[in-house]
Amino acid sequence: MILLLAVVFTASCSKYQEKTSEMILFGTTCRITASDKADFDAVWKRLGELEDNISARSEQGDLADLNSKAGQGWVEVSQDLYDSLKIALDIASRSNGAFNPAIGELVNLWGIVDKHPDVPSESDLAAVMEHIDWHAIEIKDDDGITMARITDPGVRIDLGGIGKGIAADLAVSLLRKQGIKSALVNFGGNIMCLGSHHTGEPYRIGIQVPFANRNEYKQVVQVIDQSVVTSGPYEKNFVGSDGKLYHHIIDSATGYPADNGLASVTIIGPSSAICDGLSTSCFVLGLDAGTALVQSMEGYSAVFILDDGTAVPVGISL
Ligand code: ADP
Ligand code: MG
């Protein structure tokens, strides 16, 4: 009887304690806020594996291996890489190549992920532009053996445009399996919510004012079980030796950073990987073609912010 009372007492007193855990993964600060009952270490461990499997920058990883075997036929790949390539190829097809997973050599040429990016020469650019066709990437599943091949020896895959989204989806599914009902995942600005806030209110996510101070918000969207992902030139950019500002989302039709009147694109929807891919795509496509793409995707909406600061909602009212 005393034991029973003790159990009841503990249950009624156990208050919800929130904890935020951080880790550097995918080249950015990843943050999870959830009940302190969550096993954060298990999530980070699995996400570290994912990073090795799908990041072109993980030297010992699965994608680095596939890239090094470009032009050499089928390569057995992890389920992580297979699933990620499947999403990437689907978005490439839907966006007419605006999202281009074969953009690796172009990203390398611009030096976007290293410390000293600069504008490439016209001849280097022309050479690399010959090897960025995403149709050179193929996948197949032979009775559970997941394989991929790159048919052009000059093509290198880069999944940087969806990596954080894939990681955010995985984090939420792992937390859900642990029995966690409410969590906020923020992987370098890729937001994904598990359920609603533990108070029962929707999560309120701010869409940043492009180029303003962090935490200055243009709009706030309220979401439950959804992801909010923004692509824009204001986080990762550099001033070239010609004095112009360049950023990290490249239009593979021109070989240059996308420049079509958009300051940012935010996508809201159920899969963070798809939101991530769509935001990169729409940033390249611009307002009109981007709007058509979002409208073709059931369950997804967007907020385009134009260079003059105007916010244009698609499938959502602000
Ligand atoms: P962020 O990392 O700032 O959220 P994105 O998700 O939009 O930005 O992805 C940008 C990254 O995607 C670049 O660093 C590069 O690795 C890759 N990338 C650049 N341009 C494209 C493109 N047109 N299609 C697919 N991936 C791209
Ligand atoms: Mg993206």
Side-chain angles (χ1 to χ4, degrees), residues 105-126 128 237-248 250 254-257:
E105 285 296 60
L106 204 43
V107 171
N108 292 338
L109 182 64
W110 277 91
I112 283 160
V113 283
D114 53 37
K115 298 272 179 296
H116 303 288
D118 207 351
V119 185
S121 72
E122 285 298 322
S123 59
D124 285 351
L125 199 58
V128 163
N237 51 42
F238 67 92
V239 178
S241 36
D242 58 0
K244 283 199 217 152
L245 185 74
Y246 293 92
H247 64 82
H248 69 305
I250 311 229
T254 63
Y256 281 80

Side-chain angles (χ1 to χ4, degrees), residues 15-29:
K15 279 237 300 289
Y16 187 91
Q17 291 283 352
E18 205 168 63
K19 181 180 159 184
T20 296
S21 176
E22 276 186 13
M23 186 65 67
I24 303 282
L25 285 169
F26 293 90
T28 190
T29 304

Side-chain angles (χ1 to χ4, degrees), residues 191-204:
I191 311 277
M192 176 77 184
C193 313
L194 166 55
S196 48
H197 191 256
H198 71 88
T199 56
E201 295 287 307
Y203 278 107
R204 291 166 54 81

